[in-house]
């Protein structure tokens, strides 16, 4: 375990989670599935290391290439993970709200910005990708937590 390890738990405390974040930043996803799943954007920390979780974790295959996990007791959103073979397998986006240590992390990117409802906007200078840009970036290996500049909208 390193000094960057994040430890957290779901709303009821039945699921505990530990991760090693890929970067000390947050990413936000505004896609329709994330908004349906969380009732807002998914605010997440990216990891490529295995998630250490204990408790009543339930997973749901939300697409042919990924799954979403939640606490089967309280329903807290836990993570979105790529499961399909390929360059993205093992990349996970873990709900930032599970961890106390994410409160001061900067927002580095928003994806599916063209799906975001008009009623809110995040301030700051960070990467903003449309659905088309995100799909192109995903094909190139860029992730939600990336701070790369290709395809940026500011």
């Amino acid at each position: 375990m390193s000094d960057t390890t994040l430890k957290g738990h779901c709303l009821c405390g039945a699921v505990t989670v530990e991760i090693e974040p890929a970067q000390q930043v947050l990413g936000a996803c505004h896609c329709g599935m994330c908004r349906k799943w969380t009732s807002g954007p998914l605010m997440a920390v990216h990891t490529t290391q295995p998630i250490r979780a204990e408790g009543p974790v339930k997973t749901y295959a939300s697409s042919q290439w990924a799954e979403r996990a939640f606490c089967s007791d309280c329903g807290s959103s836990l993570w979105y993970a790529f499961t399909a073979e390929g360059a993205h397998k093992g990349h996970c986006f873990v709900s930032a709200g599970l961890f106390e240590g994410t409160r001061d992390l900067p927002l580095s990117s928003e994806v599916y910005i063209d799906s975001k409802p008009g009623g809110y906007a995040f301030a700051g200078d960070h990467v903003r990708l449309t659905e088309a840009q995100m799909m192109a970036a995903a094909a190139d290996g860029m992730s939600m937590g990336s701070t790369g500049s290709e395809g940026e909208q500011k």
Side-chain angles (χ1 to χ4, degrees), residues 41-117:
L42 172 64
M43 301 297 296
V45 178
H46 176 221
T47 186
T48 57
Q49 301 300 311
I51 296 169
R52 295 175 298 280
E54 293 184 13
V57 174
K58 177 88 171 150
T59 59
Y60 171 71
S62 57
S63 68
Q64 294 178 356
W65 59 87
E67 69 182 15
R68 295 169 191 267
F70 59 94
C71 171
S72 65
D73 287 354
C74 69
S76 292
S77 301
L78 301 174
W79 64 78
Y80 172 89
F82 285 97
T83 56
E85 293 301 323
H88 300 293
K89 186 170 184 165
H91 285 253
C92 300
F93 300 93
V94 185
S95 293
L98 301 173
F99 311 106
E100 294 296 323
T102 59
R103 182 178 175 167
D104 295 322
L105 294 181
L107 181 64
S108 71
S109 63
E110 292 180 74
V111 298
Y112 288 82
I113 194 72
D114 51 335
S115 297
K116 180 189 77 60

Side-chain angles (χ1 to χ4, degrees), residues 28-31 108-116 126-154:
C29 182
H30 302 284
C31 78
S108 71
S109 63
E110 292 180 74
V111 298
Y112 288 82
I113 194 72
D114 51 335
S115 297
K116 180 189 77 60
H126 54 269
V127 174
R128 291 176 172 91
L129 300 176
T130 65
E131 178 178 2
Q133 290 169 319
M134 181 58 197
M135 297 308 279
D140 290 339
M142 190 167 133
S143 69
M144 194 164 96
S146 175
T147 57
S149 61
E150 187 173 340
E152 276 187 45
Q153 284 188 351
K154 294 192 179 175

